[in-house]
Amino acid sequence: MLSEPERQRPQSVSPVGRLSRLAEQSVRCAPASCGAVATIADSGPERRFAATHPDLAPLAGVQLDCGEGPIPTALDVGAPVDTEDLLTERRWPGYRALALESGVRSSVTLPFRRSGIEVTLSLYSFRPGSLDDAVCGPVRILGEETTAGLVRDRRYRAALAEVEQLETALRSRPVIDQASGIVMHVLGCGVEEAFAVLRTVSQHANRKLSEVAEGVVRTKGRGLEDELAALTRPT
């Protein structure tokens, strides 16, 4: 069984935390870059992002709001999208205007997909044509490793949730067995029918099966004879 520290380990770095680290490390690996923005979508249409500088966050926001720009385009085509010089760029006028206003002259966006998780990494530069080499080498490796790490985190969290469900089931099983025994005694029925009765009560009362079982055990079935019997009568 996992110890408490082991259970908490994957939650110590949130998805946005991983994005922040990806953006910061990518900038260090691309000397021509003045900053970076990383985004993620892992459940539903909502996309979160992290930027190395506050002035770059609106560049991601405008693309996600209007659905136009290097980020949506890179996700659509499944390949890097390079804007060598925004002064001559004719695509995405909203993004282009905001980027030039921020002093950005060029950018490159790399998409990464794995097991339903979508990550993008955008690098920005004050100089045109200075990010051509960023689509390969260390930056791409960082993006792929980050995406793989996000997939591992999600699987780990899912495994922990399953373990917790199993532990809850194991803890509640003894009281359910006791309650089934009481129902068997009250109704003079078999094990399967007794469990079916408890499950029916749980559904009708909109309460957890374990809670219903605890109530039966606590009262030892007293006062439930007529109610339990009514559940077994044919309709």
Side-chain angles (χ1 to χ4, degrees), residues 26-98:
S26 297
V27 170
R28 290 197 290 269
C29 292
S33 174
C34 65
V37 173
T39 76
I40 181 177
D42 58 355
S43 58
E46 182 182 0
R47 182 169 291 274
R48 293 167 289 174
F49 62 87
T52 57
H53 194 280
D55 290 345
L56 295 178
L59 295 183
V62 69
Q63 297 180 68
L64 302 181
D65 289 341
C66 69
E68 294 183 352
I71 293 175
T73 302
L75 290 170
D76 287 343
V77 301
V81 173
D82 190 4
T83 57
E84 293 191 357
D85 191 347
L86 285 167
L87 282 179
T88 59
E89 179 62 64
R90 292 294 176 262
R91 298 171 291 179
W92 327 300
Y95 163 76
R96 174 179 178 270
L98 186 59

Side-chain angles (χ1 to χ4, degrees), residues 5 15 23 104-105 112 127 133 182 185 198 209 229:
V104 172
R105 285 288 300 274
F112 305 92
R127 295 185 292 113
D133 296 334
I182 293 172
H185 176 73
L198 290 174
L209 181 60

